Amino acid sequence: AQSVTQLGSHVSVSEGALVLLRCNYSSSVPPYLFWYVQYPNQGLQLLLKYTTGATLVKGINGFEAEFKKSETSFHLTKPSAHMSDAAEYFCAVSVIYNQGGKLIFGQGTELSVKP
Amino acid sequence: GAGVSQSPSNKVTEKGKDVELRCDPISGHTALYWYRQSLGQGLEFLIYFQGNSAPDKSGLPSDRFSAERTGGSVSTLTIQRTQQEDSAVYLCASSPSGLGNTIYFGEGSWLTVV
C-alpha cells in the first residue's frame, strides 16, 4: 500500500535561507508524487508534481523537488526563503485506480520563516 | 466555474443535528473527492466519485456519514446525528479523469459541533 512520511512537523528557517522539506514515500508501483501548500484559512494549492520524465521538477514560487527512486524520496527545496512562504506543506502520493487516482497525504510540515 | 466551490464556508451546529455540505466541482471534472482535515490528524480521505458512482467509500468514518453526486457534478456530504469529534474542515476536490492529473481543492467547509 502507498504511504507518505514527512520528516518534521515543524521547520523554521531564516529569511533568505535554504528551505528543505523532507518527504519519503512507499509505493509498489512507480508513483505519482505531489507537493501542496496550504496558507492559513485557505484550501490546498498545488506547488508541483512528478509523474514521468525529468526527475527534477520545478513548481511555483521558486520551489522545486527531485524524485529519487533509489531513496524513495521527493524532498522539496527552495534556495532562499521568503516571509510569504510561511505555510503548511503537504507531500502526497497518488494511488492509481478506477480511471483516476486519489491522493494519500503525509502529515504535513509547518514552515515558519523568521525575519 | 473557475474553481471548486464549497458551501457553507462555516457551519456551527448542535450535537445530534444533521448537516449537509455541498461541493461544486470544476466543470468537466469527472473525479470528485472528499477529505477531512482535523487538528493533529492531517488530511483524511473520505470518499471518491467517478461520475455519479463511488468506487471507494473506504474512508467514511461511520454510517452517519454519506455522500452522493448527481449529474456527474454537484456532490453533497451528509453527516447525521453530528458529534463533537466531527468538528473539522471538510475539503472537496476534483480532477479530470486519467492518471497523474492534478487534483484541485476547494477552500473547505469548516464544521463546528457544539
Side-chain angles (χ1 to χ4, degrees), chain B residues 21-45:
Chain B
L21 306 176
R22 175 189 167 105
C23 174
D24 215 326
I26 293 172
S27 178
H29 283 189
T30 56
L32 186 146
Y33 311 81
W34 284 98
Y35 284 82
R36 180 167 71 173
Q37 186 173 24
S38 309
L39 195 61
Q41 297 295 317
L43 283 154
E44 177 186 10
F45 168 79

Side-chain angles (χ1 to χ4, degrees), chain B residues 53-110:
Chain B
S53 64
D56 188 352
K57 305 178 183 180
S58 62
L60 294 177
S62 74
D63 59 8
R64 296 186 295 105
F65 287 74
S66 62
E68 65 175 11
R69 188 180 186 192
T70 55
S73 180
V74 172
S75 176
T76 302
L77 177 69
T78 301
I79 309 172
Q80 295 179 308
R81 305 181 302 282
T82 52
Q83 304 294 312
Q84 287 186 329
E85 61 263 28
D86 299 334
S87 297
V89 179
Y90 290 83
L91 293 166
C92 179
S94 71
S95 75
S97 188
L99 305 180
N101 282 312
T102 298
I103 296 177
Y104 296 87
F105 284 81
E107 303 253 324
S109 291
W110 189 289

Side-chain angles (χ1 to χ4, degrees), chain A residues 32 34 36 38 41-46 49 51 88 90 94 96-107, chain B residues 33 35 37 40-43 45 48 50 55-56 58 91 95 97-107 110:
Chain A
Y32 292 171
F34 301 77
Y36 281 83
Q38 187 177 34
N41 301 315
Q42 294 187 26
L44 276 74
Q45 179 182 2
L46 180 72
K49 68 177 181 181
T51 53
E88 187 146 22
F90 293 92
S94 182
I96 299 164
Y97 67 161
N98 284 313
Q99 304 174 46
K102 71 179 181 184
L103 293 177
I104 302 297
F105 286 90
Q107 288 296 303
Chain B
Y33 311 81
Y35 284 82
Q37 186 173 24
Q41 297 295 317
L43 283 154
F45 168 79
Y48 159 65
Q50 183 61 245
D56 188 352
S58 62
L91 293 166
S95 75
S97 188
L99 305 180
N101 282 312
T102 298
I103 296 177
Y104 296 87
F105 284 81
E107 303 253 324
W110 189 289

